[in-house]
Amino acid sequence: SQQGEEDPQALSIQEGENATMNCSYKTSINNLQWYRQNSGRGLVHLILIRSNEREKHSGRLRVTLDTSKKSSSLLITASRAADTASYFCATDGYNTDKLIFGTGTRLQVFP
Amino acid sequence: EPEVTQTPSHQVTQMGQEVILRCVPISNHLYFYWYRQILGQKVEFLVSFYNNEISEKSEIFDDQFSVERPDGSNFTLKIRSTKLEDSAMYFCASSDRAGGLNEQFFGPGTRLTVL
């Protein structure tokens, strides 16, 4: 079955630094999405990248996808304290629209 | 910006009781989902719903669970006889599948505590 695993599990950085989080999965995917979750709150959709795309940008976010390595990365540039949250990747397949979530990366940005 | 809403935000119930969790998806969306997240664990898929029927369900979604779209705006998850292990955060999501994309937008969740 598909399974997303993020690394690192936790990341602490200073404001202004860049944060990079990685996600790996096991089977072929249709799309890969990244979500943010503030502690105990809901999931906020950040960005979707299709399996035939290699890179996508949205504001300070940059997502890459390497289907040959079954991996994706999320880069947050010029981080802010408000970026402190858990970040999850989620994948879906060609015959299913259920999302399979990864384990998440807990990002702490210190002011 | 339109968003998915869920009520209640927190539900406390006794084991064996029935609970109904409510969701109002984004108004022009036609695909609806329930997920759950046990404290400290991954978000897990429960069920997807389209055109008034279940499209797909996970092995978690057993006979104790049911979903319904009772009117044009609400989407509910019912747990008939709650167990301690049903304690979790339950998220509703919706999608319009525009362009064939599966962007799913999540509500804030209902925290279910079974005592």
Side-chain angles (χ1 to χ4, degrees):
Chain A
S1 63
Q2 300 172 10
Q3 187 172 20
E5 299 290 339
E6 280 97 331
D7 78 86
Q9 286 189 325
L11 179 62
S12 295
I13 58 175
Q14 295 292 130
E15 247 185 346
E17 293 180 339
N18 295 342
T20 300
M21 288 158 272
N22 304 296
C23 164
S24 61
Y25 55 90
K26 293 188 176 178
T27 61
S28 296
I29 63 168
N30 194 25
N31 305 291
L32 186 143
Q33 306 182 56
W34 284 91
Y35 289 85
R36 185 184 76 228
Q37 184 180 36
N38 289 77
S39 181
R41 307 289 293 277
L43 294 155
V44 175
H45 185 269
L46 295 177
I47 197 164
L48 178 149
I49 187 165
R50 296 188 201 224
S51 60
N52 62 355
E53 296 177 310
R54 291 297 164 256
E55 189 169 312
K56 204 159 180 182
H57 297 253
S58 176
R60 293 184 296 113
L61 305 180
R62 174 177 166 252
V63 169
T64 61
L65 179 65
D66 186 337
T67 52
S68 67
K69 294 181 180 176
K70 292 187 168 60
S71 67
S72 172
S73 68
L74 171 67
L75 168 68
I76 304 174
T77 60
S79 63
R80 304 167 183 165
D83 295 328
T84 294
S86 290
Y87 291 83
F88 296 90
C89 69
T91 58
D92 61 33
Y94 289 99
N95 296 316
T96 174
D97 55 357
K98 73 178 180 186
L99 295 181
I100 306 291
F101 280 81
T103 50
T105 293
R106 289 188 309 280
L107 174 66
Q108 174 85 50
V109 182
F110 291 100
Chain B
E1 190 172 327
E3 55 185 23
V4 177
T5 59
Q6 290 184 243
T7 54
S9 57
H10 192 181
Q11 173 93 45
V12 180
T13 189
Q14 294 290 327
M15 192 170 56
Q17 295 296 303
E18 174 183 286
V19 295
I20 297 176
L21 310 183
R22 293 184 166 77
C23 168
V24 179
I26 294 172
S27 62
N28 64 331
H29 287 187
L30 299 176
Y31 299 82
F32 313 118
Y33 311 87
W34 283 101
Y35 293 81
R36 78 172 186 190
Q37 184 181 32
I38 294 171
L39 187 65
Q41 296 186 24
K42 290 187 186 185
V43 176
E44 303 172 287
F45 169 79
L46 292 177
V47 65
S48 58
F49 190 87
Y50 169 71
N51 200 24
N52 279 319
E53 58 183 34
I54 291 174
S55 316
E56 189 173 359
K57 59 184 181 179
S58 72
E59 54 194 33
I60 301 168
F61 194 88
D62 62 23
D63 292 345
Q64 293 301 311
F65 291 86
S66 62
V67 289
E68 195 178 27
R69 187 154 164 82
D71 54 44
S73 59
N74 289 283
F75 179 51
T76 62
L77 173 70
K78 183 194 289 186
I79 309 175
R80 261 181 276 281
S81 178
T82 49
K83 307 184 189 79
L84 295 176
E85 55 263 38
D86 293 328
S87 294
M89 193 77 146
Y90 287 81
F91 294 107
C92 172
S94 70
S95 173
D96 62 1
R97 301 292 296 273
L101 294 179
N102 186 26
E103 280 182 315
Q104 294 185 22
F105 295 90
F106 284 71
T110 293
R111 183 172 299 283
L112 176 65
T113 302
V114 182
L115 302 175

